[in-house]
């Protein structure tokens, strides 16, 4: 059996202001295996985005533990967490979040500007990431000159250019039509199967679910590991 990449132990999460308290997770236990392609399902407002933010270290929990492999991450301080995040997780959003004034290759290069890599090393990594998502011939295009699926693939290249083991995807095909969704899903499948990336994908889309091997459905504050699907 594969080792866990994320383990949540008795995680409580709520939001509160002076008037009310919104409970999201109550003693949530969950294990996601290394190298997994899993779908996170559940109704709107059930806590799917919150889960991704917790896993990615951009939101905090109220109690419990979160482990990434052998590292406990919920008690890291801000600078340790920032370093951990930069080395381990890339985010992909429904709205692509590309910078419109920058070309595809400049967008992909952004996470590398904070590293010590030389310009030549950065360019080599950017070219490899764009090749991986099948966009070598669009490197100089700006987002407005690309289709939705191509823009999302630029965002995927940006998320993986620093060679991170985990991609956290929040409805990555939510803004795309069927054909361009399939392009993006095929790219994610390639990254999972051939490059061993662990992919955790929130989605409402049944086709997207069929690309995942495991799915977790949020039910009354707890994620139920539902099915082990044969990878299509
Ligand atoms: N910063 C916040 N302050 C207060 N409540 C919040 C905050 N962020 C999220 N919530 C609440 O937490 C609940 C879960 O939100 P979340 O965004 O995780 O849902 P979701 O499952 O991703 O929904 P959707 O499918 O609509 O994207 C919602 O009721 C939301 O209103
Ligand atoms: Mg959401």
């Amino acid at each position: 059996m594969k080792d866990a990449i994320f383990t949540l132990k008795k995680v409580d999460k709520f939001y509160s202001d002076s008037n009310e308290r919104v409970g999201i997770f109550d003693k949530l236990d969950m294990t996601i295996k290394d190298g997994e392609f899993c779908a996170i399902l559940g109704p709107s407002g059930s806590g799917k985005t919150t889960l991704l933010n917790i896993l990615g270290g951009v939101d905090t929990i109220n109690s419990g533990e979160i482990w990434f492999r052998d590292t406990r991450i919920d008690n890291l301080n801000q600078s340790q967490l920032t370093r951990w995040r930069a080395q381990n997780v890339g985010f992909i959003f429904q709205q692509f979040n590309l910078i419109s004034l920058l070309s595809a290759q400049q967008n992909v290069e952004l996470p590398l500007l904070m590293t010590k890599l030389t310009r030549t090393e950065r360019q080599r990594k950017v070219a490899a990431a764009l090749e991986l998502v099948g966009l070598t011939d669009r490197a100089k295009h700006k987002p407005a000159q690309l289709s939705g699926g191509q823009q999302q693939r630029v965002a995927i290249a940006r998320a993986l250019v620093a060679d991170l083991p985990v991609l956290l995807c929040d409805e990555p095909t939510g803004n795309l039509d069927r054909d361009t969704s399939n392009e993006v899903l095929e790219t994610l499948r390639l990254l999972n199967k051939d490059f061993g990336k662990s992919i955790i994908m929130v989605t409402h889309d049944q086709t997207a679910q069929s690309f995942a091997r495991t799915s977790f459905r949020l039910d009354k504050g707890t994620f139920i590991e539902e099915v082990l699907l044969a990878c299509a």
Side-chain angles (χ1 to χ4, degrees):
M1 200 177 106
K2 286 183 206 156
D3 292 335
I5 192 152
F6 283 108
T7 309
L8 280 67
K9 297 182 184 174
K10 297 203 172 1
V11 167
D12 284 342
K13 172 68 183 171
F14 54 84
Y15 294 105
S16 50
D17 59 27
S18 49
N19 299 322
E20 61 170 351
R21 175 169 150 152
V22 182
I24 313 292
F25 303 130
D26 181 17
K27 305 267 177 299
L28 174 66
D29 288 313
M30 185 178 192
T31 302
I32 299 175
K33 294 189 198 81
D34 215 338
E36 192 54 274
F37 187 164
C38 75
I40 306 286
L41 319 173
S44 179
S46 58
K48 304 180 298 297
T49 296
T50 304
L51 177 75
L52 289 191
N53 288 338
I54 288 172
L55 295 178
V58 293
D59 198 352
T60 54
I61 57 175
N62 298 95
S63 64
E65 299 176 10
I66 304 172
W67 292 78
F68 173 78
R69 296 182 175 148
D70 297 327
T71 306
R72 186 170 167 187
I73 60 168
D74 60 279
N75 56 5
L76 298 180
N77 66 33
Q78 266 316 318
S79 65
Q80 291 170 323
L81 197 56
T82 303
R83 191 170 339 118
W84 171 81
R85 199 185 304 124
Q87 290 168 349
N88 291 294
V89 293
F91 281 92
I92 294 163
F93 306 93
Q94 181 173 345
Q95 306 83 350
F96 319 140
N97 291 5
L98 299 176
I99 296 181
S100 58
L101 291 174
L102 300 182
S103 67
Q105 65 187 17
Q106 289 168 325
N107 268 285
V108 174
E109 191 182 10
L110 284 175
L112 301 181
L113 296 177
M114 290 170 282
T115 67
K116 294 191 178 118
L117 295 174
T118 64
R119 187 156 182 264
T120 314
E121 287 166 334
R122 290 201 306 269
Q123 285 173 342
R124 196 176 313 126
K125 281 184 180 286
V126 168
L130 283 171
E131 187 180 350
L132 211 62
V133 300
L135 286 177
T136 302
D137 58 343
R138 296 288 193 282
K140 301 234 179 319
H141 289 56
K142 298 220 167 101
Q145 300 166 318
L146 298 169
S147 73
Q150 289 168 338
Q151 289 182 56
Q152 190 60 301
R153 285 187 285 144
V154 172
I156 294 172
R158 181 183 55 187
L160 60 83
V161 69
D163 201 17
L164 311 177
V166 180
L167 292 179
L168 300 173
C169 312
D170 201 348
E171 303 195 34
T173 59
N175 278 359
L176 302 176
D177 62 29
R178 186 71 281 136
D179 286 348
T180 47
S181 287
N182 283 344
E183 281 175 22
V184 166
L185 292 165
E186 290 291 354
T187 303
L188 292 175
R189 175 149 69 196
L190 174 89
L191 293 171
N192 174 252
K193 276 182 104 172
D194 294 358
F195 296 87
K197 306 291 179 194
S198 298
I199 298 183
I200 302 167
M201 173 177 70
V202 169
T203 186
H204 291 290
D205 173 7
Q206 285 199 343
T207 308
Q209 289 165 30
S210 74
F211 276 73
R213 284 186 295 196
T214 313
S215 66
F216 289 88
R217 183 175 298 277
L218 188 58
D219 183 29
K220 299 185 186 74
T222 297
F223 279 97
I224 310 291
E225 185 169 353
E226 215 173 35
V227 258
L228 197 65
L229 299 165
C231 201

